[in-house]
Amino acid sequence: PQQPSMPGMQMPSASNPAPQQPAVGPDLLAETAGRAPLTLDALLTVARAHNPTLRAAQAAIAESAGQARQAGTLPNPVIGYEGDQIRGGSYGGGEQGAFVQQTIPLGGKLGLRRDVYRAQQRTGEAALATQQQRIEADLESSFYAALALQQEIDARTQDRKSTRLNSSHIT
């Protein structure tokens, strides 16, 4: 039986072994070891600038602001030409004319529509603030959990060194 595969991919077989994974060695993190440690402020700055949910919320706020601006303006006027039974040549005639049409909403409808979009904009701003707080809280929690693990690793490494040192003096 033939196994399903994606186009361009080959399934491992006896004649076609799976590609070898690179060996994990002590120099795996050599590139990152020379870098300065990331601070919480640096991580928060990156999260605020690049988080897709924050960008989506900001776009929704901008959309609501644009809709509020548009809702407060009069609809576009219609300008046109109309002709009926038009004949060419020396006879002329028929009915011809130009027109201008403008709808003017009454009863404060423009202001009410604008207020709806402004309320939607304020709701979006509150949602953005909530999402930003959620992201920052999650990031801070993860940062301090990683920091605690790093300190635990450092403490165990130090214990191992001191145990080796004490063992070598005993014998």
Side-chain angles (χ1 to χ4, degrees):
Q2 189 171 3
Q3 294 182 356
S5 64
M6 294 184 62
M9 290 186 66
Q10 295 179 354
M11 299 299 287
S13 66
S15 62
N16 183 15
Q20 294 293 325
Q21 296 295 327
V24 177
D27 59 0
L28 179 65
L29 300 177
E31 181 183 328
T32 57
R35 293 183 190 168
L38 287 172
T39 64
L40 180 58
D41 288 337
L43 290 171
L44 288 171
T45 301
V46 170
R48 287 182 195 118
H50 299 291
N51 187 286
T53 60
L54 295 179
R55 286 184 179 178
Q58 290 165 344
I61 292 168
E63 180 182 4
S64 294
Q67 288 173 330
R69 189 172 38 259
Q70 183 67 32
T73 61
L74 290 173
N76 290 337
V78 178
I79 301 173
Y81 169 81
E82 188 174 348
D84 191 24
Q85 299 178 1
I86 300 173
R87 293 185 298 230
S90 61
Y91 296 108
E95 298 174 10
Q96 303 182 52
F99 66 91
V100 176
Q101 178 182 347
Q102 174 68 57
T103 303
I104 301 175
L106 302 175
K109 291 180 186 124
L110 291 178
L112 292 173
R113 243 188 316 170
R114 182 180 51 237
D115 291 345
V116 167
Y117 288 114
R118 284 186 178 158
Q120 186 177 358
Q121 181 181 358
R122 286 190 299 274
T123 302
E125 289 168 350
L128 172 66
T130 301
Q131 180 65 12
Q132 187 167 355
Q133 288 173 351
R134 185 178 298 127
I135 289 167
E136 289 175 2
D138 289 347
L139 185 62
E140 286 177 11
S141 174
S142 297
F143 178 83
Y144 287 118
L147 186 61
L149 287 173
Q150 180 63 46
Q151 289 175 345
E152 183 178 341
I153 290 169
D154 291 345
R156 288 184 182 196
T157 303
Q158 192 65 27
D159 286 348
R160 225 180 288 138
K161 286 180 183 177
S162 64
T163 303
R164 283 188 210 148
L165 192 64
N166 289 340
S167 298
S168 65
H169 288 332
I170 294 174
T171 55

